[in-house]
Amino acid sequence: MTAKNDSSVKDYIASLDDEQIVKDSHVLIAMMQRISGHEPKMWNAGTIGFNTYHYKYDSGREGDGHIIGFYPRKGKITVYLMDGTVRHSGLLAKLGKHTTTGYCVYIKRLSDIELPILEQIVQQSYEYIKSKSQDGHIDRILWQTEK
């Protein structure tokens, strides 16, 4: 999964050399902060995450992950949906130009998509993960099991 680090989100965004990615990152930070009610935190090398949940699998593996987040890098932004993209296929069909994998939505720039649709998707994903983690840890990789 992911590991939180103590790097500054502001410094990380300032270090990006793609002006459009910087602007889009500020929009996503504002959106995800509004949805989660939490300040952004750095995870791994370049993921900006909001709020946390605890997971503990039958295998014994456990840790913490961000509930919603994104990874801005040159040429694309990855938005993470920890409950998986399949649950959001109806809205994703209306999103605009993007690609997906199991729990990732890849966007070149926010101007390629319908931002209100992305906000709905992220809001639903956030609420779902929060509901699943409300009574303790999450015991399975949701994006592999939830449809």
Side-chain angles (χ1 to χ4, degrees), residues 10-27:
K10 185 178 179 180
D11 291 347
Y12 177 70
I13 296 294
S15 77
L16 299 172
D17 59 2
D18 183 323
E19 189 176 319
Q20 190 58 51
I21 294 291
V22 169
K23 289 178 184 177
D24 288 351
S25 294
H26 286 295
V27 170

Side-chain angles (χ1 to χ4, degrees), residues 97-146:
K97 191 174 177 182
H98 74 283
T99 57
T100 63
T101 58
Y103 66 98
C104 300
V105 178
Y106 302 102
I107 301 163
K108 192 166 187 156
R109 62 185 55 87
L110 293 183
S111 61
D112 290 339
I113 63 158
E114 296 294 328
L115 195 56
I117 300 291
L118 181 63
E119 187 160 355
Q120 274 186 274
I121 293 167
V122 172
Q123 177 79 44
Q124 288 177 10
S125 180
Y126 183 81
E127 290 171 359
Y128 187 77
I129 296 296
K130 283 290 289 181
S131 74
K132 289 291 186 182
S133 64
Q134 199 165 12
D135 297 326
H137 63 267
I138 292 177
D139 62 359
R140 63 194 179 286
I141 300 172
L142 294 177
W143 65 269
Q144 291 179 338
T145 59
E146 308 293 304

Side-chain angles (χ1 to χ4, degrees), residues 60-79:
R61 182 177 175 178
E62 71 178 297
D64 297 304
H66 54 79
I67 296 179
I68 53 176
F70 71 100
Y71 181 17
R73 56 184 171 264
K74 191 169 183 81
K76 72 176 167 182
I77 296 170
T78 304
V79 176

